[in-house]
Amino acid sequence: MNLSVKLGSLTLQNPVMVASGTFGYGVEYSRLLDLNQLGAVVVKGIRLGPVRGNPTPRTVEVASGLINAIGLQGPGVDGFIKKYWPFLSALKVPTIINIWGTTVEEYAEVARRFDALGGVGGLELNVSCPNIKEGGAQFGTDVKLLAGVVRACRKATKLPLITKLSPNVVSIAPYAQAAEAEGSDALAITNSFPAMAIDIATRRPKLANVTGGLTGPCIKPIAIKLVWEAAKAVKIPIIGMGGIESAADAIDFLMAGATAVAVGTANFYEPQTVLQVIAGLREFMQQRGIDDVRKLVGSVQVAK
Amino acid sequence: MLERTVQIVSNERDTDLYFRLVMRAPEMARDAQPGQFVHLRVAAMRDALLRRPFSIYQARGDTLSVLYKSVGKGTDVLARMGPGEELSLIGPLGHGFTLPKAGGETPLLVAGGYGMAAMYMLAERSPQRGIVFAGGRRRVDILCEDEFQKLGWDVRVTTEDGSYGEKGLVTHPLIAELRRSAAGRKLFACGPTPMLKAVGKIAEEFKVPAELSMDEHMCCGVGVCLTCVIPVKTTDGWEYQRTCTEGPVFDASEVMWEMPK
């Protein structure tokens, strides 16, 4: 049975990864599960310098979901390399580094730094974080800006490039096509959905940042539709994510057109989810005599 | 840190909305240190996806227990569970209290409501006894007073409505005690944030060391999501640190109560 898939030049032993921002830098979960079973580890977003992040409260639980406004707190490139790279580079599975900046130049510089590091599995361009005033989503909701970021990063590195798209657009197809045209090797769909919650007793927003990004099982059907639309528009592989907490959820994404999937919010409440998804996917294929996971990709049958 | 499916041994009402949950969790009971917590998942609940953190109350033989207040979607379901039913636990987690040393500072424990839970193992394992200041709004908010007395601690109760013990805030008898004598004493506190802030200020005023177990909203519990951060002083300014990992127990002198500009 073949579970391996390719994202550009990057080969994954199976199509199940974790979503950036929900798995720290890998090491935190290494005592609870064997990271070498994963398709890839995807670390939290990193820009050039350290980032303090937003004031608290930073997350709020809602029906079947979570709204977060962490603000990409992180150690910056140097801090990450010093503190986390020794652990990550010793893993047998690839590490994909999620990168961001407030200018096109910063994205490219971060890409160059990780290109020079050696041993990085790939870079995921975060052009879709809803919780950062500058950078983040502004690049993901303007086709020209998006194209510029991907172009600059493509020039800066030969590493596999994944563009993580924003769901906050009228149609995702032009964004998917722009990333593909500028040399992105894959797409990650989707980031979180802009959202808000109010404490009715105090009449205050439940997040210090007022608004945040909604993730978790409640976004899955919307994410599936975005993957399906993007898959029709491009030839490059798509990593589908949004509310996956079981193998059935993952297969849903594969059938919609995703080549790989990522487990996100579920890591927070059930760290074994990613391993359960891999085992369940294998079982699903075995029961149905499917010998290659790639046969599931885009296999949804829509009547013409 | 382990993740285990554990069985409920007992889950009984203590007072009012407070419950004592005892679980069979031999490895976690063995590893637990005073001030640490467990991250508990009730079951797959659609409107309460996340785990809930609880201070470890007692670790005895194969069992580990927590005290909780039934206040919301997660704890209401938990309160209806019984012996034999299963829960998912991650723990023990976090950086706990520094155990007092024999012949060292005399420990003064300050607890608000179920903050008492986080204090028990400290009281049990401390080589020297001291005073426990237990405060709550009403009589029903005073938990496990007997258990601390059995360990040989002097328990001083305050309630805000005066229904039990001295009327007023838990900090009042603490201040009175420190006025009598502050030298050679150390504070350990767990409770609501306003109480912790008051204890922090008292420690500063009387120049006594203090360790505070901070109560923040948590999500992953293992240092990944960066939900539970508080601003902490560092040598070159301040940074957000994680209550679940660098905490929940912080040195009072490091905690910043006002957000820096």
Side-chain angles (χ1 to χ4, degrees):
Chain A
M1 184 191 293
N2 175 57
L3 282 180
S4 81
V5 295
K6 288 190 83 169
L7 305 173
S9 60
L10 178 66
T11 302
L12 308 182
Q13 62 179 351
N14 67 60
V16 187
M17 336 181 357
V18 288
S20 176
T22 67
F23 212 71
Y25 307 96
V27 63
E28 299 89 340
Y29 277 124
S30 62
R31 288 164 71 189
L32 297 179
L33 60 138
D34 177 11
L35 303 190
N36 285 324
Q37 304 296 313
L38 274 57
V41 170
V42 185
V43 301
K44 186 164 175 70
I46 294 167
R47 69 174 290 186
L48 211 45
V51 182
R52 243 179 203 146
N54 289 331
T56 58
R58 288 177 166 185
T59 63
V60 55
E61 190 180 45
V62 294
S64 290
L66 180 74
I67 311 176
N68 87 81
I70 306 297
L72 291 171
Q73 180 177 334
V77 173
D78 291 328
F80 167 80
I81 292 171
K82 188 166 173 238
K83 198 167 176 198
Y84 300 107
W85 189 241
F87 170 83
L88 288 163
S89 58
L91 292 177
K92 291 180 197 137
V93 297
T95 295
I96 292 168
I97 301 176
N98 182 291
I99 66 169
W100 69 282
T102 57
T103 61
V104 172
E105 292 72 30
E106 185 178 0
Y107 274 97
E109 179 58 21
V110 177
R112 259 191 297 277
R113 293 288 310 277
F114 285 123
D115 188 272
L117 181 61
V120 173
L123 298 179
E124 182 175 73
L125 305 181
N126 183 356
V127 290
S128 43
C129 178
N131 303 321
I132 296 292
K133 284 200 187 81
E134 297 174 306
Q138 82 177 52
F139 290 103
T141 51
D142 180 315
V143 175
K144 278 186 190 148
L145 287 178
L146 174 72
V149 171
V150 179
R151 192 182 312 137
C153 291
R154 183 70 290 167
K155 270 190 201 149
T157 179
K158 292 209 159 43
L159 290 170
L161 272 188
I162 300 160
T163 307
K164 188 164 184 177
L165 297 180
S166 169
N168 201 25
V169 293
V170 175
S171 166
I172 202 160
Y175 294 87
Q177 288 163 339
E180 180 180 46
E182 297 298 343
S184 188
D185 296 292
L187 303 172
I189 298 173
T190 177
N191 208 315
S192 59
F193 291 78
M196 182 173 175
I198 295 166
D199 182 333
I200 61 166
T202 62
R203 299 193 188 199
R204 306 269 301 165
K206 286 188 176 177
L207 294 172
N209 193 53
V210 183
T211 63
L214 179 64
T215 63
C218 61
I219 72 165
K220 197 192 84 176
I222 324 177
I224 295 282
K225 185 230 177 207
L226 290 168
V227 167
W228 181 64
E229 283 178 345
K232 288 189 292 183
V234 297
K235 292 198 171 61
I236 53 174
I238 294 166
I239 306 157
M241 65 195 76
I244 295 176
E245 50 176 23
S246 68
D249 293 335
I251 294 161
D252 200 341
F253 274 99
L254 297 176
M255 288 183 176
T259 296
V261 294
V263 174
T265 305
N267 294 316
F268 293 154
Y269 50 90
E270 185 38 78
Q272 305 303 322
T273 304
V274 62
L275 298 185
Q276 290 162 359
V277 168
I278 296 165
L281 175 61
R282 194 171 273 137
E283 195 183 312
F284 179 88
M285 289 169 62
Q286 234 152 26
Q287 283 168 356
R288 285 161 182 79
I290 301 163
D291 60 351
D292 191 329
V293 72
R294 291 171 296 185
K295 289 182 182 168
L296 288 170
V297 176
S299 64
V300 62
Q301 294 176 13
V302 181
K304 291 268 160 59
Chain B
M1 187 206 304
L2 299 161
E3 182 175 1
R4 292 284 182 269
T5 300
V6 302
Q7 252 186 14
I8 296 175
V9 176
S10 65
N11 183 27
E12 280 162 22
R13 190 181 290 269
D14 198 83
T15 69
D16 193 40
L17 294 173
Y18 295 97
F19 289 76
R20 293 183 185 217
L21 171 66
V22 183
M23 298 158 286
R24 193 165 306 287
E27 299 145 290
M28 290 186 209
R30 182 196 62 210
D31 295 347
Q33 298 296 318
Q36 286 192 302
F37 66 98
V38 288
H39 215 26
L40 184 153
R41 189 169 187 219
V42 170
M45 279 197 296
R46 294 289 79 185
D47 52 356
L49 293 173
L50 300 174
R51 287 171 184 268
R52 304 290 191 250
F54 298 99
S55 294
I56 297 169
Y57 170 45
Q58 293 175 334
R60 288 193 170 154
D62 281 355
T63 66
L64 189 122
S65 62
V66 303
L67 294 180
Y68 67 93
K69 190 175 185 182
S70 175
V71 286
K73 288 171 286 198
T75 44
D76 285 352
V77 172
L78 181 59
R80 288 194 294 271
M81 296 182 77
E85 289 191 81
E86 288 181 336
L87 296 165
S88 169
L89 270 194
I90 298 178
L93 294 168
H95 163 88
F97 291 113
T98 313
L99 209 57
K101 287 188 181 73
E105 290 138 337
T106 304
L108 303 183
L109 315 189
V110 191
Y114 55 83
M116 281 290 261
M119 295 293 177
Y120 185 83
M121 283 181 70
L122 180 68
E124 186 182 43
R125 295 189 183 180
S126 171
Q128 52 175 322
R129 291 347 193 193
I131 306 168
V132 186
F133 297 92
R137 268 206 196 109
R138 305 163 299 155
R139 185 182 185 118
V140 289
D141 298 315
I142 305 300
L143 306 175
C144 48
E145 182 191 353
D146 297 355
E147 272 90 342
F148 283 81
Q149 280 167 345
K150 276 181 209 152
L151 292 175
W153 288 70
D154 174 5
V155 184
R156 306 207 185 151
V157 175
T158 49
T159 52
E160 284 171 49
D161 68 355
S163 56
Y164 188 50
E166 186 184 325
K167 183 173 174 167
L169 294 171
V170 70
T171 44
H172 294 164
L174 172 68
I175 291 169
E177 184 59 37
L178 287 171
R179 279 204 182 118
R180 266 194 289 281
S181 168
R185 296 179 145 188
K186 181 172 176 180
L187 313 183
F188 298 86
C190 184
T193 304
M195 186 204 92
L196 294 175
K197 184 177 175 180
V199 172
K201 301 268 177 205
I202 291 165
E204 201 182 324
E205 197 186 317
F206 286 92
K207 297 186 174 60
V208 292
E211 292 187 14
L212 310 176
S213 177
M214 303 299 288
D215 187 16
E216 290 297 319
H217 265 295
M218 253 181 220
C219 181
C220 75
V222 298
V224 161
C225 71
L226 307 177
T227 292
C228 64
V229 297
I230 59 165
V232 172
K233 289 173 211 163
T234 59
T235 46
D236 52 355
W238 68 278
E239 65 182 16
Y240 280 119
Q241 290 189 4
R242 300 163 295 186
T243 305
C244 69
T245 305
E246 284 81 25
V249 177
F250 290 90
D251 194 293
S253 64
E254 294 172 352
V255 176
M256 299 179 76
W257 298 104
E258 274 81 42
M259 272 302 290
K261 289 280 177 290

PDB file of all heavy atoms in Angstrom, chain A residues 94-115:
ATOM      1  N   PRO A  94      10.411  15.329   7.366  1.00  0.00           N
ATOM      2  CA  PRO A  94      10.745  16.714   7.040  1.00  0.00           C
ATOM      3  C   PRO A  94      10.065  17.737   7.952  1.00  0.00           C
ATOM      4  O   PRO A  94       8.967  17.508   8.441  1.00  0.00           O
ATOM      5  CB  PRO A  94      10.251  16.879   5.593  1.00  0.00           C
ATOM      6  CG  PRO A  94       9.397  15.711   5.294  1.00  0.00           C
ATOM      7  CD  PRO A  94       9.690  14.638   6.280  1.00  0.00           C
ATOM      8  N   THR A  95      10.780  18.838   8.149  1.00  0.00           N
ATOM      9  CA  THR A  95      10.209  19.980   8.857  1.00  0.00           C
ATOM     10  C   THR A  95       9.879  21.046   7.832  1.00  0.00           C
ATOM     11  O   THR A  95      10.734  21.429   7.025  1.00  0.00           O
ATOM     12  CB  THR A  95      11.215  20.558   9.872  1.00  0.00           C
ATOM     13  OG1 THR A  95      11.465  19.584  10.875  1.00  0.00           O
ATOM     14  CG2 THR A  95      10.668  21.822  10.530  1.00  0.00           C
ATOM     15  N   ILE A  96       8.636  21.507   7.870  1.00  0.00           N
ATOM     16  CA  ILE A  96       8.226  22.611   7.009  1.00  0.00           C
ATOM     17  C   ILE A  96       8.128  23.845   7.902  1.00  0.00           C
ATOM     18  O   ILE A  96       7.504  23.802   8.968  1.00  0.00           O
ATOM     19  CB  ILE A  96       6.894  22.295   6.310  1.00  0.00           C
ATOM     20  CG1 ILE A  96       7.124  21.147   5.303  1.00  0.00           C
ATOM     21  CG2 ILE A  96       6.320  23.537   5.617  1.00  0.00           C
ATOM     22  CD1 ILE A  96       5.874  20.528   4.750  1.00  0.00           C
ATOM     23  N   ILE A  97       8.782  24.907   7.485  1.00  0.00           N
ATOM     24  CA  ILE A  97       8.810  26.112   8.310  1.00  0.00           C
ATOM     25  C   ILE A  97       7.861  27.149   7.731  1.00  0.00           C
ATOM     26  O   ILE A  97       7.958  27.521   6.568  1.00  0.00           O
ATOM     27  CB  ILE A  97      10.246  26.674   8.412  1.00  0.00           C
ATOM     28  CG1 ILE A  97      11.165  25.598   9.021  1.00  0.00           C
ATOM     29  CG2 ILE A  97      10.270  27.949   9.249  1.00  0.00           C
ATOM     30  CD1 ILE A  97      12.622  25.989   9.088  1.00  0.00           C
ATOM     31  N   ASN A  98       6.920  27.559   8.573  1.00  0.00           N
ATOM     32  CA  ASN A  98       5.953  28.589   8.186  1.00  0.00           C
ATOM     33  C   ASN A  98       6.623  29.939   8.402  1.00  0.00           C
ATOM     34  O   ASN A  98       7.123  30.219   9.490  1.00  0.00           O
ATOM     35  CB  ASN A  98       4.699  28.427   9.053  1.00  0.00           C
ATOM     36  CG  ASN A  98       3.610  29.424   8.710  1.00  0.00           C
ATOM     37  OD1 ASN A  98       3.745  30.621   8.948  1.00  0.00           O
ATOM     38  ND2 ASN A  98       2.515  28.930   8.162  1.00  0.00           N
ATOM     39  N   ILE A  99       6.676  30.754   7.344  1.00  0.00           N
ATOM     40  CA  ILE A  99       7.367  32.043   7.457  1.00  0.00           C
ATOM     41  C   ILE A  99       6.439  33.206   7.108  1.00  0.00           C
ATOM     42  O   ILE A  99       5.470  33.054   6.370  1.00  0.00           O
ATOM     43  CB  ILE A  99       8.626  32.094   6.550  1.00  0.00           C
ATOM     44  CG1 ILE A  99       8.249  32.052   5.065  1.00  0.00           C
ATOM     45  CG2 ILE A  99       9.588  30.957   6.895  1.00  0.00           C
ATOM     46  CD1 ILE A  99       9.423  32.357   4.128  1.00  0.00           C
ATOM     47  N   TRP A 100       6.754  34.351   7.680  1.00  0.00           N
ATOM     48  CA  TRP A 100       5.969  35.547   7.365  1.00  0.00           C
ATOM     49  C   TRP A 100       6.821  36.789   7.548  1.00  0.00           C
ATOM     50  O   TRP A 100       7.926  36.734   8.086  1.00  0.00           O
ATOM     51  CB  TRP A 100       4.700  35.618   8.197  1.00  0.00           C
ATOM     52  CG  TRP A 100       4.891  35.866   9.658  1.00  0.00           C
ATOM     53  CD1 TRP A 100       5.285  34.952  10.597  1.00  0.00           C
ATOM     54  CD2 TRP A 100       4.680  37.102  10.352  1.00  0.00           C
ATOM     55  NE1 TRP A 100       5.330  35.542  11.823  1.00  0.00           N
ATOM     56  CE2 TRP A 100       4.971  36.853  11.722  1.00  0.00           C
ATOM     57  CE3 TRP A 100       4.274  38.378   9.960  1.00  0.00           C
ATOM     58  CZ2 TRP A 100       4.864  37.849  12.696  1.00  0.00           C
ATOM     59  CZ3 TRP A 100       4.165  39.370  10.938  1.00  0.00           C
ATOM     60  CH2 TRP A 100       4.459  39.098  12.284  1.00  0.00           C
ATOM     61  N   GLY A 101       6.304  37.898   7.072  1.00  0.00           N
ATOM     62  CA  GLY A 101       6.987  39.170   7.222  1.00  0.00           C
ATOM     63  C   GLY A 101       5.996  40.293   7.043  1.00  0.00           C
ATOM     64  O   GLY A 101       4.820  40.056   6.754  1.00  0.00           O
ATOM     65  N   THR A 102       6.460  41.517   7.244  1.00  0.00           N
ATOM     66  CA  THR A 102       5.556  42.651   7.034  1.00  0.00           C
ATOM     67  C   THR A 102       5.836  43.326   5.694  1.00  0.00           C
ATOM     68  O   THR A 102       5.095  44.212   5.284  1.00  0.00           O
ATOM     69  CB  THR A 102       5.674  43.693   8.161  1.00  0.00           C
ATOM     70  OG1 THR A 102       7.036  44.125   8.227  1.00  0.00           O
ATOM     71  CG2 THR A 102       5.283  43.102   9.494  1.00  0.00           C
ATOM     72  N   THR A 103       6.926  42.900   5.050  1.00  0.00           N
ATOM     73  CA  THR A 103       7.228  43.410   3.706  1.00  0.00           C
ATOM     74  C   THR A 103       7.638  42.233   2.825  1.00  0.00           C
ATOM     75  O   THR A 103       8.034  41.176   3.339  1.00  0.00           O
ATOM     76  CB  THR A 103       8.413  44.402   3.731  1.00  0.00           C
ATOM     77  OG1 THR A 103       9.578  43.709   4.211  1.00  0.00           O
ATOM     78  CG2 THR A 103       8.136  45.599   4.624  1.00  0.00           C
ATOM     79  N   VAL A 104       7.568  42.417   1.521  1.00  0.00           N
ATOM     80  CA  VAL A 104       8.000  41.388   0.577  1.00  0.00           C
ATOM     81  C   VAL A 104       9.476  41.052   0.825  1.00  0.00           C
ATOM     82  O   VAL A 104       9.884  39.894   0.817  1.00  0.00           O
ATOM     83  CB  VAL A 104       7.793  41.867  -0.879  1.00  0.00           C
ATOM     84  CG1 VAL A 104       8.410  40.886  -1.874  1.00  0.00           C
ATOM     85  CG2 VAL A 104       6.307  42.031  -1.162  1.00  0.00           C
ATOM     86  N   GLU A 105      10.266  42.097   1.105  1.00  0.00           N
ATOM     87  CA  GLU A 105      11.705  41.905   1.341  1.00  0.00           C
ATOM     88  C   GLU A 105      11.953  41.013   2.557  1.00  0.00           C
ATOM     89  O   GLU A 105      12.863  40.193   2.569  1.00  0.00           O
ATOM     90  CB  GLU A 105      12.407  43.263   1.548  1.00  0.00           C
ATOM     91  CG  GLU A 105      12.461  44.161   0.319  1.00  0.00           C
ATOM     92  CD  GLU A 105      11.104  44.771  -0.062  1.00  0.00           C
ATOM     93  OE1 GLU A 105      10.260  44.996   0.845  1.00  0.00           O
ATOM     94  OE2 GLU A 105      10.869  44.995  -1.260  1.00  0.00           O
ATOM     95  N   GLU A 106      11.116  41.220   3.601  1.00  0.00           N
ATOM     96  CA  GLU A 106      11.320  40.400   4.802  1.00  0.00           C
ATOM     97  C   GLU A 106      10.997  38.926   4.529  1.00  0.00           C
ATOM     98  O   GLU A 106      11.740  38.037   4.933  1.00  0.00           O
ATOM     99  CB  GLU A 106      10.469  40.918   5.975  1.00  0.00           C
ATOM    100  CG  GLU A 106      10.774  40.153   7.265  1.00  0.00           C
ATOM    101  CD  GLU A 106       9.992  40.639   8.483  1.00  0.00           C
ATOM    102  OE1 GLU A 106       9.197  41.589   8.357  1.00  0.00           O
ATOM    103  OE2 GLU A 106      10.192  40.042   9.555  1.00  0.00           O
ATOM    104  N   TYR A 107       9.897  38.675   3.810  1.00  0.00           N
ATOM    105  CA  TYR A 107       9.576  37.285   3.422  1.00  0.00           C
ATOM    106  C   TYR A 107      10.775  36.658   2.714  1.00  0.00           C
ATOM    107  O   TYR A 107      11.190  35.535   3.019  1.00  0.00           O
ATOM    108  CB  TYR A 107       8.383  37.259   2.465  1.00  0.00           C
ATOM    109  CG  TYR A 107       7.011  37.236   3.112  1.00  0.00           C
ATOM    110  CD1 TYR A 107       6.277  38.403   3.291  1.00  0.00           C
ATOM    111  CD2 TYR A 107       6.426  36.035   3.495  1.00  0.00           C
ATOM    112  CE1 TYR A 107       5.006  38.386   3.847  1.00  0.00           C
ATOM    113  CE2 TYR A 107       5.149  36.006   4.050  1.00  0.00           C
ATOM    114  CZ  TYR A 107       4.442  37.177   4.228  1.00  0.00           C
ATOM    115  OH  TYR A 107       3.188  37.154   4.776  1.00  0.00           O
ATOM    116  N   ALA A 108      11.323  37.394   1.748  1.00  0.00           N
ATOM    117  CA  ALA A 108      12.420  36.850   0.938  1.00  0.00           C
ATOM    118  C   ALA A 108      13.667  36.620   1.794  1.00  0.00           C
ATOM    119  O   ALA A 108      14.357  35.610   1.635  1.00  0.00           O
ATOM    120  CB  ALA A 108      12.738  37.808  -0.217  1.00  0.00           C
ATOM    121  N   GLU A 109      13.920  37.540   2.716  1.00  0.00           N
ATOM    122  CA  GLU A 109      15.092  37.404   3.585  1.00  0.00           C
ATOM    123  C   GLU A 109      14.960  36.173   4.492  1.00  0.00           C
ATOM    124  O   GLU A 109      15.919  35.408   4.665  1.00  0.00           O
ATOM    125  CB  GLU A 109      15.267  38.692   4.415  1.00  0.00           C
ATOM    126  CG  GLU A 109      16.434  38.685   5.383  1.00  0.00           C
ATOM    127  CD  GLU A 109      17.807  38.446   4.733  1.00  0.00           C
ATOM    128  OE1 GLU A 109      17.936  38.678   3.513  1.00  0.00           O
ATOM    129  OE2 GLU A 109      18.727  38.008   5.449  1.00  0.00           O
ATOM    130  N   VAL A 110      13.764  35.982   5.054  1.00  0.00           N
ATOM    131  CA  VAL A 110      13.545  34.803   5.908  1.00  0.00           C
ATOM    132  C   VAL A 110      13.710  33.533   5.069  1.00  0.00           C
ATOM    133  O   VAL A 110      14.340  32.560   5.506  1.00  0.00           O
ATOM    134  CB  VAL A 110      12.150  34.856   6.577  1.00  0.00           C
ATOM    135  CG1 VAL A 110      11.893  33.591   7.402  1.00  0.00           C
ATOM    136  CG2 VAL A 110      12.023  36.088   7.467  1.00  0.00           C
ATOM    137  N   ALA A 111      13.197  33.552   3.852  1.00  0.00           N
ATOM    138  CA  ALA A 111      13.340  32.395   2.951  1.00  0.00           C
ATOM    139  C   ALA A 111      14.819  32.112   2.680  1.00  0.00           C
ATOM    140  O   ALA A 111      15.253  30.953   2.701  1.00  0.00           O
ATOM    141  CB  ALA A 111      12.587  32.652   1.644  1.00  0.00           C
ATOM    142  N   ARG A 112      15.581  33.164   2.425  1.00  0.00           N
ATOM    143  CA  ARG A 112      17.027  33.002   2.186  1.00  0.00           C
ATOM    144  C   ARG A 112      17.726  32.394   3.391  1.00  0.00           C
ATOM    145  O   ARG A 112      18.565  31.504   3.263  1.00  0.00           O
ATOM    146  CB  ARG A 112      17.669  34.370   1.871  1.00  0.00           C
ATOM    147  CG  ARG A 112      17.916  34.615   0.382  1.00  0.00           C
ATOM    148  CD  ARG A 112      18.782  35.853   0.158  1.00  0.00           C
ATOM    149  NE  ARG A 112      18.149  37.084   0.617  1.00  0.00           N
ATOM    150  CZ  ARG A 112      17.257  37.782  -0.101  1.00  0.00           C
ATOM    151  NH1 ARG A 112      16.938  37.407  -1.323  1.00  0.00           N
ATOM    152  NH2 ARG A 112      16.705  38.878   0.388  1.00  0.00           N
ATOM    153  N   ARG A 113      17.365  32.890   4.572  1.00  0.00           N
ATOM    154  CA  ARG A 113      18.012  32.393   5.799  1.00  0.00           C
ATOM    155  C   ARG A 113      17.768  30.889   5.974  1.00  0.00           C
ATOM    156  O   ARG A 113      18.671  30.144   6.336  1.00  0.00           O
ATOM    157  CB  ARG A 113      17.484  33.154   7.031  1.00  0.00           C
ATOM    158  CG  ARG A 113      17.872  34.629   7.085  1.00  0.00           C
ATOM    159  CD  ARG A 113      19.347  34.835   7.395  1.00  0.00           C
ATOM    160  NE  ARG A 113      19.797  34.080   8.563  1.00  0.00           N
ATOM    161  CZ  ARG A 113      19.665  34.477   9.824  1.00  0.00           C
ATOM    162  NH1 ARG A 113      19.128  35.640  10.092  1.00  0.00           N
ATOM    163  NH2 ARG A 113      20.085  33.721  10.818  1.00  0.00           N
ATOM    164  N   PHE A 114      16.534  30.447   5.719  1.00  0.00           N
ATOM    165  CA  PHE A 114      16.239  29.033   5.900  1.00  0.00           C
ATOM    166  C   PHE A 114      16.785  28.188   4.752  1.00  0.00           C
ATOM    167  O   PHE A 114      17.122  27.018   4.943  1.00  0.00           O
ATOM    168  CB  PHE A 114      14.738  28.812   6.104  1.00  0.00           C
ATOM    169  CG  PHE A 114      14.293  29.214   7.486  1.00  0.00           C
ATOM    170  CD1 PHE A 114      13.296  30.163   7.672  1.00  0.00           C
ATOM    171  CD2 PHE A 114      14.893  28.653   8.602  1.00  0.00           C
ATOM    172  CE1 PHE A 114      12.903  30.531   8.949  1.00  0.00           C
ATOM    173  CE2 PHE A 114      14.507  29.027   9.891  1.00  0.00           C
ATOM    174  CZ  PHE A 114      13.510  29.972  10.060  1.00  0.00           C
ATOM    175  N   ASP A 115      16.929  28.784   3.587  1.00  0.00           N
ATOM    176  CA  ASP A 115      17.562  28.098   2.456  1.00  0.00           C
ATOM    177  C   ASP A 115      19.013  27.801   2.823  1.00  0.00           C
ATOM    178  O   ASP A 115      19.531  26.699   2.611  1.00  0.00           O
ATOM    179  CB  ASP A 115      17.480  28.990   1.215  1.00  0.00           C
ATOM    180  CG  ASP A 115      17.940  28.254  -0.029  1.00  0.00           C
ATOM    181  OD1 ASP A 115      19.143  28.274  -0.301  1.00  0.00           O
ATOM    182  OD2 ASP A 115      17.086  27.642  -0.702  1.00  0.00           O
TER     183      ASP A 115
END
